[in-house]
């Protein structure tokens, strides 16, 4: 028997609240995943843009061999050393640590004026070949966020044409969700 002074919620009212919360969660969770994916992609694109700028600057400057002979324009290379043999997502902190020494000891990274000052999700890779108008380079930002051995790769390819650095402005992306 219920008195007029009793307070509380009926089962129907509670079910309505649960249904509203479920609908809000079903909308918020995919939006959150899109947001985190976009933020991670922005990090990869930032790495590629910084490498691109370093390669273009290096190509534009005259370089000489030890005897003082001016070399044909080229990108630094042939291959930059890896920051780590373990992917960032597979490290104990799930990110690569800031300030890896490879960026201040490897001549290719030094030539690119490239370093990473913050913890990061993507490991940069860089290779170059050729000189003059046959010079080219490839810049990658790779990740294995879930440590399953499948790499997500963001790639920009550049080359030289009439003393200008050219290539794709938008990175090629494979396995973006990794």
């Amino acid at each position: 028997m219920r008195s007029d002074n009793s307070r509380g919620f009926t089962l129907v009212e509670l079910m309505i609240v649960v249904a509203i919360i479920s609908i809000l969660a079903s909308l918020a969770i995919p939006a959150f995943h899109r947001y985190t994916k976009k933020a991670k992609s922005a990090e990869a694109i930032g790495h590629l843009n910084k490498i691109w700028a370093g390669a273009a600057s290096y190509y534009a400057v005259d370089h000489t061999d030890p005897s003082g002979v001016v070399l044909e324009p080229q990108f630094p290379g042939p291959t930059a050393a890896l920051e780590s043999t373990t992917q960032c997502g597979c490290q104990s902190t799930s990110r690569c640590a800031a300030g890896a020494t490879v960026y201040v000891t490897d001549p290719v990274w030094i030539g690119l004026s490239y370093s990473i000052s913050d913890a990061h999700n993507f490991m940069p890779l860089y290779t170059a070949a050729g000189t003059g108008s046959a010079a080219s380079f490839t810049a990658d930002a790779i990740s294995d966020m879930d440590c399953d051995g499948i790499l997500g790769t963001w790639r920009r390819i550049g080359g030289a044409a009439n003393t200008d650095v050219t290539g794709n402005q938008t990175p090629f992306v494979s396995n973006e969700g990794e």
Side-chain angles (χ1 to χ4, degrees), residues 59 72-75 129-136 158-164 166:
Y59 188 85
E72 199 171 3
Q74 59 190 296
F75 298 111
T131 59
S133 60
S136 64
N162 301 326
T163 69
D164 289 330
T166 63

Side-chain angles (χ1 to χ4, degrees), residues 44-53 125-127 137-141 153-159 165-173:
I45 291 168
H47 289 315
L48 296 178
N49 290 342
K50 191 173 178 182
I51 292 170
W52 184 281
L125 302 174
Y126 173 86
T127 59
F137 70 91
T138 301
D140 292 322
T153 304
W154 281 251
R155 173 174 286 168
R156 284 187 74 183
I157 299 171
V165 176
T166 63
N168 64 311
Q169 297 298 314
T170 305
F172 302 113
V173 180

Side-chain angles (χ1 to χ4, degrees), residues 6-177:
S6 66
R7 294 182 174 211
F9 297 104
T10 66
L11 183 58
V12 172
E13 291 169 329
L14 289 174
M15 294 301 289
I16 290 171
V17 169
V18 168
I20 291 170
I21 291 172
S22 298
I23 290 168
L24 291 174
S26 70
L27 297 174
I29 291 171
F32 175 75
H33 286 297
R34 280 192 306 275
Y35 171 77
T36 56
K37 186 176 178 182
K38 187 175 181 179
K40 289 176 184 175
S41 293
E43 178 189 323
I45 291 168
H47 289 315
L48 296 178
N49 290 342
K50 191 173 178 182
I51 292 170
W52 184 281
S57 294
Y58 188 93
Y59 188 85
V61 174
D62 287 335
H63 298 279
T64 59
D65 68 11
S67 64
V69 175
V70 176
L71 299 171
E72 199 171 3
Q74 59 190 296
F75 298 111
T79 302
L82 284 175
E83 171 181 340
S84 172
T85 56
T86 305
Q87 286 298 318
C88 296
C90 301
Q91 297 191 15
S92 61
T93 59
S94 296
R95 297 184 83 189
C96 286
T101 58
V102 70
Y103 300 116
V104 295
T105 58
D106 181 72
V108 176
W109 290 126
I110 293 169
L112 291 166
S113 299
Y114 184 85
S115 64
I116 304 174
S117 58
D118 298 321
H120 49 282
N121 296 306
F122 294 87
M123 192 180 310
L125 302 174
Y126 173 86
T127 59
T131 59
S133 60
S136 64
F137 70 91
T138 301
D140 292 322
I142 60 171
S143 68
D144 185 0
M145 298 295 178
D146 53 7
C147 204
D148 64 357
I150 300 171
L151 295 178
T153 304
W154 281 251
R155 173 174 286 168
R156 284 187 74 183
I157 299 171
N162 301 326
T163 69
D164 289 330
V165 176
T166 63
N168 64 311
Q169 297 298 314
T170 305
F172 302 113
V173 180
S174 64
N175 300 322
E176 186 173 1

